[in-house]
Amino acid sequence: MHSDLSVVIVNWNVRELLRACVRSVERAYSDLTCEIIVVDNASSDGSVEMLRTDFPSVHVIACERNVGFSAGNNLGIAAARGEFLLFINPDTEIVGDALDALLQCARAHPDVGAVAPQLIFPDGCVQPTRYRFPTLASAILDGTILEQWFPRNRALRRYHLADVSENITQDVDWVMGACLMLRREVIAQVGGFDEQFFMYSEETDLCKRIKDAGWRVVYLPAAKVIHHHSASSDQVVALRHMRFQSSRVRYFRKHHGWLAANILRVFILVSYELLTLEEFAKWLVGQKRAMRRERIAAYWQVLRSGLR
């Protein structure tokens, strides 16, 4: 049966947030024919059992292992029947008529391949959502110790679209993948998520392919979605660091070549060496030692991986 919208949620061990997410989706559609597909990455917190008990109409795909965010979304794509597909994180909640607003935008503009809402924190503050594509300069500065030293540099301000208001509808290069609506025909043309990205940078890569194929990517602040942010990845801090940084290097290798990727990799590793030394110095003087020990362990895992 055809649907207007297929909502795909990839879940890992955030049962209660997932419950709130699914409820918010069910509240959000009225006149739409909508299906909800949850791909569960081998959660151990009873997420699958909760869905089957509380939401029997939800299509649950229970994986036997954690296949990652990209592969999980691709499983959802394979099962979806909607004209449009909405990919949302389980730590999100749809606010008001956001689904209708996103669909209306896409239907009113046939050249829009992807549209995303304004993400907000639970306290209502706006979350960074829209970006220009990273350059080598912005990538070297973003998320490294250099950002602490030069927080208001021109490259990062450009990357974060600091020159454009976050409260106006606008074309952007890429948007955070916590909530992203795509046309089915776009996926048919450019493909789904690149499974080389276990998680992180997969939305940047997907938006790059969408833009390269001639489609627009639109940020729509009239549609609002609450995002609790990093609820799943906060469970594994060291892995989060490694996956985030290695995915950035992988993105540059794919879209900018071997040299740019290796320059970025070296800068990130040097940054983590400096961060490790900084945390060790703070540990030596007795400043929040438990926290410093945890950070040193996470940073050391990144350094050991070599981000290859």
Side-chain angles (χ1 to χ4, degrees):
M1 177 181 173
H2 172 78
S3 299
D4 293 310
L5 179 65
S6 296
V7 178
V8 177
I9 308 169
V10 177
N11 176 68
W12 185 64
N13 284 329
V14 287
R15 182 186 61 199
E16 296 310 310
L17 287 171
L18 174 63
R19 189 198 306 272
C21 176
V22 173
R23 281 179 178 162
S24 78
V25 174
E26 289 189 337
R27 287 194 302 265
Y29 65 82
S30 53
D31 298 330
L32 301 174
T33 305
C34 180
E35 63 176 356
I36 302 174
I37 301 166
V38 176
V39 180
D40 184 79
N41 270 327
S43 294
S44 58
D45 66 347
S47 290
V48 170
E49 293 76 12
M50 179 275 292
L51 288 169
R52 288 174 173 163
T53 301
D54 295 354
F55 303 98
S57 64
V58 170
H59 180 183
V60 179
I61 301 173
C63 300
E64 294 184 356
R65 62 182 179 86
N66 187 346
V67 300
F69 185 73
S70 295
N73 274 321
N74 286 343
L75 288 172
I77 290 171
R81 300 165 296 180
E83 176 187 1
F84 295 89
L85 287 84
L86 179 71
F87 302 94
I88 60 172
N89 285 8
D91 59 355
T92 60
E93 295 178 53
I94 307 297
V95 177
D97 61 353
L99 286 187
D100 284 333
L102 292 168
L103 274 170
Q104 288 175 18
C105 175
R107 285 176 167 160
H109 304 282
D111 57 345
V112 171
V115 57
Q118 182 180 83
L119 297 180
I120 56 175
F121 290 105
D123 64 2
C125 293
V126 177
Q127 194 173 119
T129 306
R130 75 233 152 84
Y131 304 88
R132 292 186 173 98
F133 288 128
T135 63
L136 185 56
S138 68
I140 286 171
L141 289 159
D142 186 41
T144 70
I145 199 168
L146 291 179
E147 183 176 7
Q148 297 179 21
W149 296 346
F150 309 104
R152 296 186 60 81
N153 66 83
R154 184 178 300 178
L156 276 185
R157 285 182 57 79
R158 183 183 184 282
Y159 174 61
H160 288 287
L161 279 164
D163 55 323
V164 184
S165 170
E166 62 194 8
N167 294 315
I168 60 172
T169 301
Q170 59 201 264
D171 281 46
V172 298
D173 284 345
W174 71 277
V175 287
M176 187 182 293
C179 185
L180 179 62
M181 183 178 289
L182 302 182
R183 295 179 182 275
R184 174 172 290 280
E185 61 187 293
V186 168
I187 296 173
Q189 181 179 353
V190 307
F193 290 83
D194 185 341
E195 296 182 16
Q196 292 185 72
F197 299 93
F198 186 89
M199 64 185 300
Y200 299 120
S201 294
E202 73 287 325
E203 70 267 72
T204 319
D205 168 71
L206 181 58
C207 287
K208 181 76 165 64
R209 288 184 280 129
I210 290 170
K211 295 272 286 190
D212 286 349
W215 296 91
R216 294 167 59 200
V217 175
V218 170
Y219 164 77
L220 185 70
K224 300 187 187 301
V225 171
I226 296 170
H227 184 209
H228 294 275
H229 199 266
S230 299
S232 292
S233 60
D234 279 350
Q235 301 172 67
V236 281
V237 175
L239 270 177
R240 180 185 67 193
H241 277 275
M242 283 190 291
R243 285 171 175 162
F244 177 74
Q245 300 295 359
S246 61
S247 289
R248 294 174 67 208
V249 172
R250 186 170 292 113
Y251 172 86
F252 266 79
R253 187 180 301 120
K254 179 175 180 177
H255 294 286
H256 298 279
W258 179 90
L259 179 60
N262 276 280
I263 291 172
L264 176 60
R265 185 177 68 84
V266 169
F267 266 93
I268 292 172
L269 291 173
V270 169
S271 174
Y272 271 80
E273 288 177 351
L274 293 173
L275 287 169
T276 302
L277 290 172
E278 180 182 43
E279 293 298 323
F280 182 66
K282 291 176 179 178
W283 180 86
L284 281 176
V285 299
Q287 187 183 101
K288 299 180 180 178
R289 282 193 161 184
M291 182 182 74
R292 304 302 171 194
R293 190 180 301 113
E294 181 181 346
R295 288 183 178 178
I296 289 168
Y299 297 162
W300 177 242
Q301 289 297 318
V302 174
L303 291 169
R304 285 187 61 190
S305 75
L307 300 178
R308 296 187 184 278

